[in-house]
Amino acid sequence: NVASGLGVELSSNEIEKEISKLANNVKSKAKDVNTKAEQVSIKLEAVSTLADVIAAKQEAIDAEKLTIATLSKGEEKAKLQEALKAKEEALKKEKEKLANAQNELKEAKVVLSKAKDDLKTANSTYSKKLESANIKVADLIKPNSKANLTNVATVGDLKAV
């Protein structure tokens, strides 16, 4: 009654519930951002590990190529060349894994970016609602308040009673 008489649209209890709901939404979005950031971190570590493995395998293959180049033609050289081909094929598969891991990392970064945007939006909505509630209260206590006082008991009315 008093709130509607003053031009306040919601009761303070409803405002508190709405602000609490928005605050919980912000907390939820923040947890989501943390989860997405952890996923990005895990994927980044996987990419780094794969890159290290590929570099080590490439060095081994290069060294083996040098060794094979020094050998004269023969059965041993042919066996080493076959083994080298198998190692190069394995390296190729590792590079494909790396490319896939890099794509997953890019996708995870996009998801993280969206989660951050959602958090910013939720936080902005929460802040605006909180500010709006504070402005309404501040307006009521200002001497030049725009609140509709026609249906309100004043201190003078209370003294008269």
Side-chain angles (χ1 to χ4, degrees):
N1 244 355
V2 173
S4 65
L6 295 173
V8 178
E9 296 172 11
L10 299 174
S11 72
S12 62
N13 203 16
E14 289 172 338
I15 291 172
E16 287 176 20
K17 285 180 185 177
E18 190 172 347
I19 289 173
S20 177
K21 181 181 173 184
L22 291 171
N24 288 335
N25 188 32
V26 169
K27 287 178 188 175
S28 171
K29 300 290 183 186
K31 285 180 184 177
D32 191 38
V33 166
N34 286 335
T35 301
K36 303 294 188 232
E38 287 173 12
Q39 291 171 351
V40 167
S41 178
I42 290 168
K43 291 184 186 307
L44 185 61
E45 188 175 324
V47 166
S48 177
T49 301
L50 278 170
D52 291 344
V53 167
I54 288 171
K57 286 185 177 185
Q58 185 66 56
E59 286 179 22
I61 288 172
D62 291 343
E64 201 166 322
K65 282 180 181 179
L66 288 174
T67 302
I68 291 172
T70 62
L71 295 175
S72 59
K73 289 186 180 182
E75 195 174 307
E76 185 180 347
K77 186 173 185 174
K79 285 181 185 179
L80 288 175
Q81 286 174 331
E82 285 299 316
L84 180 62
K85 285 181 185 177
K87 290 178 182 177
E88 286 176 332
E89 195 61 37
L91 179 63
K92 183 179 176 184
K93 288 180 182 177
E94 290 291 330
K95 286 181 178 180
E96 289 172 2
K97 284 183 186 178
L98 177 61
N100 289 337
Q102 287 171 330
N103 287 337
E104 288 177 10
L105 177 60
K106 285 179 187 175
E107 290 171 7
K109 285 181 177 180
V110 168
V111 169
L112 175 60
S113 178
K114 184 180 179 334
K116 285 180 178 179
D117 290 344
D118 289 348
L119 174 60
K120 286 179 186 175
T121 301
N123 195 31
S124 175
T125 302
Y126 169 74
S127 295
K128 287 177 184 174
K129 187 62 178 180
L130 190 60
E131 185 179 319
S132 170
N134 289 339
I135 288 172
K136 286 180 183 179
V137 171
D139 279 347
L140 293 176
I141 59 174
K142 282 184 185 175
N144 60 349
S145 173
K146 294 179 182 162
N148 181 2
L149 300 178
T150 56
N151 300 326
V152 179
T154 64
V155 174
D157 293 337
L158 293 176
K159 285 181 182 177
V161 173

